[in-house]
Amino acid sequence: MKYPFDPKIKNHLLIGLLLAIWIFIFLYLTKPLDVNELNDNEKLIYLPGYGLLGGISYLMFLPLQYFIYKKANSNWKIIHEILFLSAYAIITLTIARLYYLYVVVLGEPNPYSLVYMLKSILLPAMLTILPILIAARFSFGKYYEKRIEDQKVEIKGEGNYEGLRLQLNELVYIQSSDNYIEVNYISNNILKKTLIRNKLSVIDDEFSELLRSHRSYLINPYHFQRWKTENGKLFMLLSFETKIPVSKTYQSKIKTAINSTTN
């Protein structure tokens, strides 16, 4: 089942920052465990540390998130969200416990046991933090999907021939085929193709977002995976391990465009 997902890194950096602030506020206001025994200066020293660790832990898992996203061909599902949140919760709880032992109560006798700490603060805190995190990720995901929906493009056929309307990022590549173009696109996580009566040059002029890799191919740089060389010839691999030839005429231009798009 598909789940709203925002792939933009800047929004996840914002979520990490808000998460850090929320954890600090939660601990400062609820005063769990021995927080009440800390003076005001100690609270301002140790409690932001918990918040900072919570935010950093979230950012640590972003590479895992994008790895899953790429492997799933840019199709984020609810199982991926559950996996991400579960991993985040486990690692954050572990780091919080280590921070407590080796920073907050370092050298102090009789620190709280792991079981008592989990039961009294860590799990209740996580149950308070996770809904905020879920709501933030869901909201950013829905907003991103709405923007993508507004960015739908239409590849028209000549004359009265029927065209194809789809999201730009669903389009993988277009191949010339005699008097037709073969549009290859993603639908329900499956690579499909549709023949439309039109010329590749017309589509090239109409959609500046697409890149010419060959006289017979236009590609969407969003789906670029990596370069591949076979028998001295250059190819690019797109989503679904689709191999597209790159002619010498377009090599320099498309490499520059791909590098500026992916960096």
Side-chain angles (χ1 to χ4, degrees), residues 165-210:
R165 182 172 171 79
L166 73 170
Q167 294 174 2
L168 180 61
N169 286 346
E170 291 176 339
L171 175 61
V172 180
Y173 72 96
I174 302 175
Q175 181 179 357
S176 177
S177 180
D178 295 327
N179 294 323
Y180 291 82
I181 55 172
E182 183 184 282
V183 182
N184 292 262
Y185 61 98
I186 299 172
S187 178
N188 296 321
N189 205 32
I190 298 173
L191 186 63
K192 297 183 178 181
K193 61 183 178 182
T194 295
L195 282 176
I196 297 176
R197 188 176 179 85
N198 209 328
K199 296 183 177 68
L200 196 66
S201 58
V202 173
I203 305 301
D204 191 10
D205 292 338
E206 187 174 355
F207 297 100
S208 59
E209 301 90 346
L210 305 180

Side-chain angles (χ1 to χ4, degrees), residues 7 69 74 144 148 151 153 166-172 186 220 222-223:
Y69 186 63
S74 304
Y144 176 78
I148 292 297
Q151 294 175 1
V153 297
L166 73 170
Q167 294 174 2
L168 180 61
N169 286 346
E170 291 176 339
L171 175 61
V172 180
I186 299 172
N220 185 349
Y222 177 81
H223 290 283

Side-chain angles (χ1 to χ4, degrees), residues 18-31 47 51:
L18 295 176
L19 196 59
I21 294 172
W22 169 246
I23 292 173
F24 166 71
I25 293 174
F26 170 79
L27 293 176
Y28 191 85
L29 294 180
T30 59
K31 299 179 175 62
L47 298 189

